Structures are given as C-alpha cells and as structure tokens.
Amino acid sequence: MRPDELPARLAQIEAQGLYRRRLVLEKRLGPEFECEGRRLLNFCSNDYLGLSDHREVIKAMQTAAEAYGVGSGASHLVSGHGPAHQALEEALAEFTGRERALLFSTGYMANLGVITALAERGDWVFEDRLNHASLLDGARLSGARLKRYAHGDMDRLCADLAQCPARGRLLVTDGVFSMDGDLAPLPELAALAREANAWLMVDDAHGLGVIGPSGRGVVEHHGLGPEDVPVLMGTLGKAFGTFGAFVAGSHDLIEYLIQRARPYIYTTALPAAVAEATRVSLALAREESWRRDRLAALIGRFRSRALQSGLPLMESNTPIQPILIGDNEAALGASRALLEAGFLVVAIRPPAVPVGGARLRVTLSTVHEESQVDRLLEALARIIPAAP
Ligand SMILES: *Cc1c(COP(=O)(O)O)cnc(C)c1O
C-alpha cells in the first residue's frame, strides 16, 4: 500500500460494514459500565467468574505494587523474573497437573511463541478453520506449512495427516471456540496426534476456570491428561480476571520455550503485581466452585428462554452464547439497538468470523443477576426478528 492510498482503504472498510469503533467505558463494580453518561450492562466481557474486580485480587495487586514496584523493568531472562512469577508458574503447573508452566505477557504472544518454537520450515501445522487469529498467525510466522481443516472435521484432518507426512507435525486447536462457544473434539484430536506422532497444542483461553468440575478446562472435561495434550496454553485475562498468559507442559517443553520462544525472550516480563493478583484469583477460581455452578445456571436460563423466543442460538453450553445474524450491517444494527436499550453486546464480523457469519456474541458471567439476563432476553426478543 502506498501512503496516499490510506483514505481510500479506510473508506472501503467503512463501505463493507467492517469499520471498528471503540467505546470509552467507565467501569463500575460488577457488570455495569457508564458510557457518555448512560448506564450499560456488559454482556460481552470474558471476565466469566467476576474476578477482575474482586476485593482480594485488587488488594493483592496493591500490596505487590508497594513491594515490587509497577514495572518489572526487564525481560524474564534479564532481570524481570522474580519470586512472584516463580510462585505463579508453580501454582499454574499444579493447577493444570503438569510439570512446569511458563508465563507469557499475553495469550497472543504465547501462541506465537509456542508455535514458532515447535514448528519450523519443513514441518506442517494443522489447524481448525475457526482457531483464534493468534494461532493462525503463529503458524504463518513459523515458516512451516499450514493446513486448515473445516471446523471440527476430524475425517478431513485424518486425511490431511496421511497426505502430509513431515518430519514434525503440530496439531493446534482452541479448547472452546471463542466466537462459537463449542468445544473441540479433544479425544479424537488426541488419538490422531498419538497415531501420527505429532504434537497436540490446546489453547484453552475460554475453558480454564470455567469448564470442568474444578475449572481445569476442556482437558479435565474430557477426562484427558498431559499425555493426551502435551501443550496446554491458557490466558489470565479471561476467567482469572487479570492479564497475561501461560503455557503448561513437561519440564523439557518449558525449558525449550525459554531457549527458543522469541515472544517470550524479547519482551518485558509481566509486572510482579499482576502475578500476585493472579495467584489470588487462581485460588478463588479453584476453591469457589459456586462461581461455576452459578454460571452454569445462568447459561441454562439464558438458553432455554432464548430458544423459547425463537432466537437463533448456536450449539454452545459455555458462557459464550452467540446469536447468529449473518449480515454485517444487520448485526451492527442489532448491537446498536441493544446499546440504546442499555446493553453492551458487540457485533462480531469478518474476519473474526466467516463471511456471512456476523453475529452478536453474548457472554455471561457469574456476576450477572437473573433479572439482568431476563432483561437482556426481553430486549433481544424485541430486536432480533424471530427465526422462521
Ligand atoms: C483471548 C484469546 C487469546 C489471546 O489472549 P490475550 O491474553 O488476550 O492476548 C488467545 N486465544 C484465544 C482462544 C483467545 O480467546
């Protein structure tokens, strides 16, 4: 692109109904926001367990900032790695039942780091078409060949694996698909990976803390273990309510990532205060299973009532409850009408979802009241035309 093409490019994005605008939201406690003088109820946050503004989590961050300062001052391999990071890595390894865990500054970087470390030129990476953008970007950056299979299509993957023999093969999937809310077929993926002597990496950004009896995510949900899913990635900015990410696996995997994962090596370490806050939120997520129970009850309530009103829900039993609209402008219009009614629900459009798959992405949280969910349902029934 030449510099003088910029205005035309922007106009083109606008004309396609793909222009993105940010709202300036003033957070209040719980699911409420204030925006331009109006109260809004947030139904698009990933703070599924309501831990982002928990008193004890906030206090841990304040105390740690007093003790360690705000910035970590350097990367983990220079002088940014302290006892707070060490303790959180140990807690995450224990939580996920793995030998080791490694902190990354964001989930995006963790995914780039793992995939570029494990796959190289001459290798193949196999990914579900609906995987998170960071997983696809990681494969592109790695120099390996990328093969994408239709969403959940294990026959296709099996055929692709047979057709693409390579020295190294890496199977990569979201645990919970972030724009659809459904789960990856992990037992099948684990079996295929084992047969092909391939790596299996699961990004459980939306499963950890939420799915499974003790919140250990999709791996626990399916009764699998580290031998089935040797590379597990999780984020800290969603159910755990803080910021950052981690990869959990064997001792050797983590040591190799420390040597080779460039987005780990060449970036400033997560602030120690964030690590300390996360240790507290991780403990709350583990111990307070009522948060998961309550969330499950809200999901059930939302789904049964939405289906009664004929809303086009997707097949999801997770807090991610998309409402399929199709057309970009129609999805935007519905989101705007909801905003007018006091509800924040973003319209998700391509390229985050396939063309023609624009949708409202409703997410539920433990901190929503039943009455708030009911009010959202009333507004949705009014705004979304009933499916034929
Ligand atoms: C949010 C998300 C990420 C990115 O994590 P950040 O910490 O926000 O960078 C990666 N993968 C999936 C599936 C996600 O939903």
Side-chain angles (χ1 to χ4, degrees), residues 106-108 111 132 134 174 178 203 205-206 235 238 244:
T106 71
Y108 189 98
N111 284 340
H132 191 264
S134 56
D174 278 23
S178 51
D203 170 345
H206 297 277
T235 61
K238 289 170 179 150

Side-chain angles (χ1 to χ4, degrees), residues 43-255:
F43 277 100
C44 53
S45 163
N46 302 316
D47 183 15
Y48 302 121
L49 300 178
L51 294 174
S52 76
D53 53 13
H54 192 286
R55 280 312 317 164
E56 287 174 39
V57 178
I58 294 172
K59 219 168 99 236
M61 185 150 175
Q62 289 170 331
T63 308
E66 295 290 347
Y68 301 111
V70 173
S72 59
S75 68
H76 284 276
L77 293 182
V78 178
S79 62
H81 189 74
H85 305 100
Q86 197 68 25
L88 177 58
E89 288 183 343
E90 282 165 19
L92 288 166
E94 207 265 313
F95 178 63
T96 56
R98 278 138 208 276
E99 287 174 7
R100 297 271 300 272
L102 185 70
L103 288 175
F104 280 78
S105 294
T106 71
Y108 189 98
M109 293 168 71
N111 284 340
L112 292 193
V114 175
I115 298 173
T116 56
L118 297 184
E120 54 201 19
R121 207 166 293 283
D123 295 338
W124 281 89
V125 180
F126 300 86
E127 299 208 20
D128 191 292
R129 223 163 238 297
L130 298 188
N131 273 359
H132 191 264
S134 56
L135 295 170
L136 298 167
D137 292 355
R140 289 199 187 102
L141 190 62
S142 72
R145 307 272 297 273
L146 170 64
K147 193 106 188 156
R148 297 169 75 181
Y149 52 90
H151 183 46
D153 188 346
M154 292 297 101
D155 293 337
R156 183 74 251 162
L157 173 60
C158 187
D160 287 346
L161 277 166
Q163 262 174 20
C164 307
R167 203 165 46 81
R169 289 182 285 183
L170 172 62
L171 275 49
V172 185
T173 187
D174 278 23
V176 176
F177 286 90
S178 51
M179 297 301 144
D180 293 57
D182 58 336
L183 307 189
L186 274 203
E188 290 85 348
L189 280 162
L192 284 175
R194 199 174 303 115
E195 278 163 33
N197 190 25
W199 290 100
L200 175 59
M201 170 184 185
V202 173
D203 170 345
D204 208 12
H206 297 277
L208 286 165
V210 175
I211 311 279
S214 51
R216 288 174 163 83
V218 292
V219 176
E220 179 186 38
H221 171 85
H222 285 292
L224 301 174
E227 57 299 341
D228 305 298
V229 179
V231 187
L232 176 67
M233 175 274 189
T235 61
L236 306 175
K238 289 170 179 150
F240 300 119
T242 60
F243 188 78
F246 70 95
V247 176
S250 69
H251 172 82
D252 280 356
L253 173 73
I254 299 307
E255 282 300 314

